[in-house]
């Protein structure tokens, strides 16, 4: 796998080190030369000096040959811009980090479905810890040919789960409406903007992706990501 990071913050550096140790090709784009000089002495990866939200810089890291583009600077705006430019340049998968939840819905409207809010992830983990809940890695339950697929409901799809006309081995199991989790009720229609999670056999992924191109897919960690 080939991964490009925009920004050399702590998350980027630690993730890049872990990927490099596993034999993955890693490139870090950073606009601070002193930081690059410092990191290049301790990391076995490539560096590119420049602004990762600039088209010319992103073109230099060969978008068509890159499996992941992680936009992890300390600026939400820079991450969103870099992600949008990366999308237009043909990066296969783009992950956008934001700190302000107000950007989340905007990112989804722009087709940036792999949007993460680090503080939210940490908060959930700590709350679960205090509550005594076990944190289950999705890869431990999504096995064999099972896959999770998430779609965002468009205006013409504001129908019930049954009327979505999903493949035989696919079921809508839950959805998020304005960030709130709910289980699917087959008699209740979805509304525009709902994020619907579908459990499906992997054989239906191509069909689902054709209907909903901008998606998030979870699968067994032993296989390469879609």
């Amino acid at each position: 796998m080939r991964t490009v990071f925009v920004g050399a913050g702590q998350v980027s550096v630690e993730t890049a080190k872990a990927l490099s140790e596993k034999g993955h090709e890693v490139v870090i784009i950073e606009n601070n030369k002193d930081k690059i000089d410092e990191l290049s002495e301790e990391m076995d990866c490539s560096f590119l000096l420049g602004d990762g939200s600039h088209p010319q810089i992103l073109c230099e890291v060969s978008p068509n040959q890159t499996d992941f583009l992680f936009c992890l600077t300390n600026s939400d705006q820079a991450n969103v811009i870099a992600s949008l430019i990366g999308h237009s340049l043909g990066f296969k998968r783009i992950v956008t980090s934001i700190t302000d939840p107000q950007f989340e819905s905007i990112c989804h409207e722009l087709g940036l479905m792999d949007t993460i809010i680090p503080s939210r992830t940490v908060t959930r983990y700590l709350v679960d810890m205090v509550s005594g809940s076990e944190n289950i890695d999705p890869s431990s339950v999504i096995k064999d040919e099972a896959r999770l697929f998430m779609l965002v409901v468009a205006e013409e799809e504001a129908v019930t789960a049954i009327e979505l006309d999903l493949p035989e081995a696919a079921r809508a199991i839950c959805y998020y409406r304005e960030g709130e989790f709910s289980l699917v009720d087959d008699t209740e229609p979805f509304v525009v903007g709902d994020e619907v999670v579908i459990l499906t056999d992997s054989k239906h992924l191509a069909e689902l992706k054709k209907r909903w191109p901008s998606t998030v897919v979870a699968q067994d960690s032993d296989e390469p990501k879609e």
Side-chain angles (χ1 to χ4, degrees), residues 174-223:
C174 67
Y175 64 93
Y176 298 91
R177 181 174 297 166
E178 297 182 353
E180 295 292 329
F181 164 81
S182 296
L183 292 173
V184 167
D185 180 343
D186 288 341
T187 64
E188 179 185 349
F190 297 115
V191 302
V192 176
D194 282 354
E195 298 171 294
V196 182
V197 179
I198 296 172
L199 180 62
T200 181
D201 189 296
S202 63
K203 66 183 179 183
H204 293 314
L205 281 179
E207 178 183 349
L208 293 173
K209 284 186 175 182
K210 185 175 181 180
R211 289 180 61 183
W212 295 284
S214 297
T215 60
V216 176
V217 179
Q219 62 182 44
D220 186 348
S221 60
D222 289 338
E223 298 180 14

Side-chain angles (χ1 to χ4, degrees), residues 75-95:
S75 167
D76 288 355
Q77 291 89 336
N79 291 338
V80 172
I81 292 172
S83 298
L84 289 173
I85 294 174
H87 181 71
S88 69
L89 293 176
F91 282 90
K92 297 175 184 177
R93 188 166 183 182
I94 301 167
V95 177

Side-chain angles (χ1 to χ4, degrees), residues 98-139:
I98 57 174
T99 57
D100 188 343
Q102 294 183 76
F103 281 99
E104 185 175 23
S105 61
I106 295 174
C107 287
H108 289 177
E109 290 174 6
L110 294 173
L112 304 176
M113 303 308 299
D114 283 327
T115 299
I116 58 173
I117 305 177
S119 61
R120 180 185 294 172
T121 301
V122 174
T123 298
R124 287 174 178 167
Y125 180 86
L126 295 179
V127 170
D128 285 347
M129 181 184 295
V130 172
S131 301
S133 303
E134 291 291 334
N135 293 289
I136 300 176
D137 182 348
S139 65

Side-chain angles (χ1 to χ4, degrees), residues 45-90:
C45 66
S46 301
F47 293 91
L48 176 62
L49 177 63
D51 182 352
S53 63
H54 195 284
Q56 183 178 352
I57 295 297
L58 287 177
C59 281
E60 291 186 31
V61 294
S62 304
N64 293 332
Q65 300 175 24
T66 300
D67 298 288
F68 288 91
L69 173 66
F70 289 106
C71 301
L72 306 177
T73 74
N74 58 7
S75 167
D76 288 355
Q77 291 89 336
N79 291 338
V80 172
I81 292 172
S83 298
L84 289 173
I85 294 174
H87 181 71
S88 69
L89 293 176

